[in-house]
């Protein structure tokens, strides 16, 4: 008994010491208040919101494996004769960078596994960012107040591709050296300053002795630092602005409904991290990637046949292959359009458009309101069509990057396949735009039919004249709510008349306004009107929310916080408003967007 009392007293004293230490630390750093806010953070429970976490956890794996590889990699370009354990390359002259990569792969315990995990994680990192940005684009999650977060995301995507190219080039094998040779040609195509840029990057004539050390510094220091800074800024804005969420009963532009950070979301996201790490380790153990020993060290007089770069660089190579050889002599300088246009102009226009797209759509639709509900892609047919056209454009360029392999595999002419892809590059995106838009309008018409007639049931009825027809059952209030919860943009109003004494400035502004109205009308005009007016939508929203609470009276639901300020903007005419009926059960947990 005395021992038990002693143990109890010791544990109580330890608990008091821990509490005192925590209180002392909290007086200097507001950890408890920050932790309390973090634990109350709400996360939507839809699977599509996990795409960003895949990118984040891939970055974590990249950092951990990259630190391990940095301990053994030598970025030097001094050549020596290889005497390592890989017998087929013994006696071959190679750079220190290539020799150290072979050393990591064959002599360091677990080196090849870690190196392949690093490469697979890099591919997943860029892929997850790309798919995450597509989700944001097609659901309209880039709209106000999240335009800056979209810019951060696009910058992360560009930096991720740059980081991948730098790491891809470090081993100085034949494949990566060929990629650097292409990069040199692109630099030389820059008018006036191309030669100076090339000499600065390579430290002299290609291949020089500075490019690998400089790419190494970019790969392990500068670009990762920028990535971490942007990830921190991105997550800070996510916490401040709150997540977007899908429309549903109890969900509006004034709250966020989902699961709390602890314990539900913490358990889910931790499981995702472990699953991601396990899948990457399994893929690296069973699937070979980038076997540099099969390519050999880089030699300017050698070429690699049948090899392709990673997918995020392959579309640029496809653009180079599709561009005809065109040069222009201007004022004593030669402009090589065959490298300048596909490698610099096309990516610049493409990514420049993506960076400013949220502001372009806001200008075209004259929409200044805040949006926290995700759009169904079918309800924005023009935006969806533009996204599908962009995907088709990228797919054609990616196929063009492998035109030699396609021609060899299917016994085709390389020249003929190249011409087919050139035509497809200009024809396929508009065709995909029209098809995607028509499919969206068809899905809208299907939603209208469901609202009018309901869903088909298993019962088939025979009329008096012998005909057969399927019977329909009406939609539930929740289903009707989800179909009616859409925000349809309206085109900007036409501008007023130009005053008779207006000068050139007024005429120019009028032309810009006319262009805005024309583009806005084209963007917003095609839609299927749903057969429900706004008052009925309000009743449906109230009935749907009541029906949900009546059907699930015993389900434990998190707490919902009502906003402290009214919505700063009015709802669109076709958007269902939050119901005024007091719920019969605690609402799902929600947070007010700032």
């Amino acid at each position: 008994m005395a021992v038990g009392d002693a143990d109890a007293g010791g544990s109580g004293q330890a608990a008091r010491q821990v509490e005192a230490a925590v209180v002392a630390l909290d007086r200097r750093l507001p950890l408890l208040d920050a932790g309390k806010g973090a634990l109350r953070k709400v996360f939507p429970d839809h699977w599509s919101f996990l795409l960003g976490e895949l990118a984040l956890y891939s970055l974590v794996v990249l950092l951990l494996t990259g630190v391990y590889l940095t301990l053994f990699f030598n970025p030097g370009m001094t050549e020596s004769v290889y005497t390592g354990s890989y017998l087929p390359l013994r006696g071959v002259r190679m750079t220190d960078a290539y020799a150290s990569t072979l050393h990591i792969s064959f002599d360091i315990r677990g080196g090849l596994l870690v190196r392949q995990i690093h490469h697979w994680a890099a591919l997943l990192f860029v892929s997850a960012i790309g798919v995450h940005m597509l989700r944001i684009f097609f659901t309209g999650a880039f709209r106000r107040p999240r335009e800056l977060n979209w810019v951060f995301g696009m910058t992360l995507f560009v930096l991720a591709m740059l980081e991948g190219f730098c790491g891809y080039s470090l081993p100085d094998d034949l494949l990566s050296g060929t990629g650097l040779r292409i990069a040199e040609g692109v630099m030389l195509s820059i008018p006036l300053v191309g030669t100076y840029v090339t000499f600065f990057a390579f430290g002299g004539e290609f291949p020089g002795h500075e490019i690998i050390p400089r790419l190494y510094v970019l790969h392990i220091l500068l670009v990762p630092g920028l990535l971490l800074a942007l990830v921190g800024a991105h997550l800070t804005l996510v916490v401040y602005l709150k997540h977007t969420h899908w429309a549903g009963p109890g969900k509006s532009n004034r709250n966020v409904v989902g699961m709390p950070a602890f314990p539900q979301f913490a358990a889910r996201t931790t499981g995702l991290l472990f699953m991601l790490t396990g899948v990457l380790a399994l893929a690296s153990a069973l699937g070979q990637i980038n076997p540099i020993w099969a390519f050999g060290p880089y030699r300017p007089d050698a070429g690699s046949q049948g090899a392709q770069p990673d997918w995020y660089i392959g579309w640029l190579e496809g653009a180079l292959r599709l561009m005809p050889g065109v040069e222009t002599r201007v004022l004593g300088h030669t402009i090589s359009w065959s490298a300048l246009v596909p490698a610099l102009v096309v990516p610049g226009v493409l990514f420049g458009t993506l960076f400013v797209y949220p502001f372009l759509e806001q200008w075209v639709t004259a929409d200044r309101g805040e949006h926290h509900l995700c759009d169904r892609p079918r309800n924005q047919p023009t935006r969806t069509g533009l996204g599908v056209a962009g995907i088709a454009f990228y797919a054609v360029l990616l196929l063009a990057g492998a035109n030699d392999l396609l021609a060899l595999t299917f016994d085709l002419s390389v020249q003929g396949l190249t011409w087919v892809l050139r035509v497809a590059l200009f024809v396929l995106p508009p065709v995909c735009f029209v098809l995607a838009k028509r499919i969206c309008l068809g899905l809208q018409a299907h939603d209208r039919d469901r609202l009018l007639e309901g869903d088909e049931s298993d019962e088939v009825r025979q009329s008096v004249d012998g005909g057969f027809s399927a019977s329909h059952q009406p939609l539930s209030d929740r289903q009707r709510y989800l179909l009616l919860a859409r925000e349809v943009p309206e085109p900007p109003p036409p501008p007023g008349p130009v005053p008779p004494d207006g000068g050139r400035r007024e005429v120019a502004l009028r032309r810009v306004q006319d262009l805005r109205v024309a583009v806005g009308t084209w963007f917003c005009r095609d839609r299927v009107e749903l057969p429900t007016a706004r008052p009925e939508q309000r009743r449906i929203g109230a009935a749907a929310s009541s029906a949900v609470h009546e059907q699930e009276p015993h389900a434990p639901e998190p707490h919902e916080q009502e906003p402290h300020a009214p919505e700063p903007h009015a709802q669109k005419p076709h958007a269902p408003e939050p119901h005024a009926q007091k719920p019969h059960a605690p609402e799902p947990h929600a947070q007010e967007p700032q």
Side-chain angles (χ1 to χ4, degrees):
M1 186 68 180
V3 175
D5 293 340
D7 292 341
S11 61
Q13 183 179 3
R16 288 191 295 271
Q17 292 176 351
V18 171
E19 181 180 359
V22 171
V23 171
L25 184 61
D26 184 64
R27 289 174 178 174
R28 293 160 177 83
L29 297 173
L31 298 179
L32 295 181
D33 292 338
K36 186 186 302 182
L39 293 178
R40 291 200 303 262
K41 171 68 178 166
V42 174
F43 292 86
D45 56 358
H46 196 268
W47 64 267
S48 62
F49 294 93
L50 298 178
L51 295 172
E53 294 176 36
L54 287 177
L56 177 62
Y57 295 147
S58 301
L59 180 60
V60 172
V61 175
L62 279 171
L63 293 175
L64 295 177
T65 55
V67 169
Y68 181 82
L69 295 175
T70 304
L71 301 176
F72 308 101
F73 181 73
N74 180 6
M77 296 191 71
T78 303
E79 290 190 352
S80 60
V81 177
Y82 179 69
T83 59
S85 58
Y86 187 66
L87 297 180
L89 289 178
R90 278 190 179 179
V92 177
R93 293 186 62 84
M94 60 185 64
T95 61
D96 293 338
Y98 187 79
S100 65
T101 308
L102 292 178
H103 178 67
I104 292 173
S105 303
F106 297 109
D107 300 323
I108 301 300
R109 186 181 299 274
L112 180 59
L113 178 64
V114 174
R115 181 172 158 266
Q116 296 205 145
I117 291 177
H118 191 74
H119 201 125
W120 282 114
L123 294 180
L124 182 60
F125 178 57
V126 184
S127 303
I129 294 179
V131 178
H132 179 60
M133 297 302 292
L134 287 176
R135 196 276 300 177
I136 293 175
F137 178 84
F138 284 111
T139 61
F142 56 80
R143 294 172 295 175
R144 184 182 177 187
R146 295 175 178 84
E147 303 96 335
L148 186 58
N149 234 2
W150 169 267
V151 174
F152 284 166
M154 288 304 307
T155 308
L156 281 170
F157 186 62
V158 174
L159 288 177
M161 291 194 297
L162 176 61
E163 176 78 347
F165 176 75
C166 293
Y168 178 84
S169 305
L170 289 181
D172 198 27
D173 60 299
L174 184 58
L175 184 61
S176 64
T178 304
L180 287 177
R181 187 67 167 180
I182 296 174
E184 183 221 10
V186 173
M187 295 178 189
L188 288 173
S189 69
I190 303 176
L192 299 180
V193 297
T195 304
Y196 302 100
V197 172
T198 305
F199 269 67
F200 172 78
F202 290 90
E205 291 285 351
F206 180 86
H209 292 83
E210 302 294 337
I211 184 63
I212 297 298
R214 290 174 178 175
L215 290 178
Y216 183 67
V217 173
L218 288 175
H219 185 69
I220 70 169
L221 184 62
L222 181 58
V223 179
L226 293 175
L227 286 173
L228 291 177
L230 284 173
V231 167
H234 176 77
L235 295 179
T236 300
L237 284 181
V238 169
V239 172
Y240 179 74
L241 299 173
K242 307 298 184 291
H243 284 83
T244 56
H245 56 166
W246 293 99
K251 301 178 181 180
S252 69
N253 273 321
R254 295 180 295 179
N255 62 5
V256 179
V257 180
M259 64 181 70
F262 185 84
Q264 288 91 338
F265 179 76
R268 175 180 292 190
T269 191
T270 304
L272 180 64
L273 172 61
F274 291 154
M275 290 174 60
L276 173 69
T277 307
V279 170
L280 288 175
L282 185 63
S284 303
L286 301 179
Q288 179 177 268
I289 188 170
N290 197 23
I292 62 164
W293 53 88
F295 307 138
Y298 176 70
R299 290 171 45 193
D301 60 337
S304 179
Q305 182 180 6
Q308 302 296 318
D310 290 334
W311 68 270
Y312 52 87
I313 300 296
W315 67 281
L316 287 175
E317 182 172 345
L320 289 168
R321 295 188 183 189
L322 290 186
M323 182 69 184
V326 179
E327 293 182 352
T328 304
R329 189 77 175 172
V330 179
L331 300 177
H333 297 276
T334 300
I335 300 178
S336 177
W337 301 104
S338 56
L340 179 65
V341 171
L344 293 177
V345 176
V346 171
V349 173
L350 178 62
F351 282 101
T353 303
L354 289 175
F355 270 104
V356 302
Y357 181 82
F359 309 98
L360 286 177
E361 183 173 312
Q362 186 180 100
W363 179 74
V364 166
T365 59
D367 186 359
R368 297 293 184 268
E370 293 189 0
H371 300 274
H372 304 284
L373 291 176
C374 292
D375 284 331
R376 299 175 75 195
R378 68 182 62 181
N379 292 332
Q380 301 291 341
T382 304
R383 181 202 299 155
T384 302
L386 291 174
V388 173
I391 294 175
F393 184 82
Y394 161 80
V396 173
L397 293 180
L398 187 62
L399 289 176
N403 61 349
D404 54 343
L405 290 180
L406 293 175
L408 179 64
T409 302
F410 297 101
D411 194 18
L412 301 173
S413 169
V414 176
Q415 291 79 9
L417 181 61
T418 301
W419 274 105
V420 170
L421 293 174
R422 284 174 180 172
V423 175
L425 185 65
F426 295 97
V427 174
L428 191 60
V431 171
C432 291
F433 170 80
V434 174
L435 289 178
K437 192 170 183 179
R438 298 306 303 175
I439 291 174
C440 290
L441 294 175
L443 292 173
Q444 288 188 33
H446 176 66
D447 291 342
R448 179 191 59 191
D449 295 340
R450 292 183 64 198
L451 289 169
L452 291 174
E453 302 177 2
D455 290 330
E456 293 185 1
S457 63
D458 297 333
E459 182 180 356
V460 179
R461 297 180 181 179
Q462 183 177 12
S463 61
V464 293
D465 56 356
F468 294 92
S469 62
S471 61
H472 294 75
Q473 56 185 6
L475 301 179
S476 65
D477 290 333
R478 183 184 183 88
Q479 291 174 318
R480 291 179 62 85
Y481 187 99
L482 295 178
L483 295 182
L484 293 171
R486 69 172 188 174
E487 294 178 316
V488 181
E490 297 291 340
V498 179
D501 56 346
R504 294 183 177 179
R505 183 174 181 274
E506 287 75 11
V507 173
L509 290 176
R510 174 57 185 269
R511 290 179 178 176
V512 172
Q513 292 174 354
D514 291 339
L515 176 64
R516 179 187 184 188
V517 171
V519 177
T521 303
W522 169 80
F523 188 90
C524 306
R525 66 185 177 188
D526 294 327
R527 64 172 180 260
V528 177
E529 297 293 342
L530 299 182
T532 305
R534 187 175 181 181
E536 186 176 353
Q537 287 181 337
R538 187 183 302 113
R539 293 195 298 271
I540 289 175
S545 181
S546 302
V548 171
H549 294 304
E550 292 172 0
Q551 293 171 4
E552 302 176 354
H554 304 291
E557 296 179 347
H559 175 67
E560 177 181 14
Q561 296 179 350
E562 291 296 333
H564 303 289
E567 183 72 11
H569 70 283
Q571 292 281 347
K572 294 292 181 181
H574 298 280
E577 292 188 346
H579 58 83
Q581 181 179 353
K582 186 176 181 180
H584 303 292
E587 289 285 338
H589 189 72
Q591 290 182 347
E592 176 191 1
Q594 301 296 326

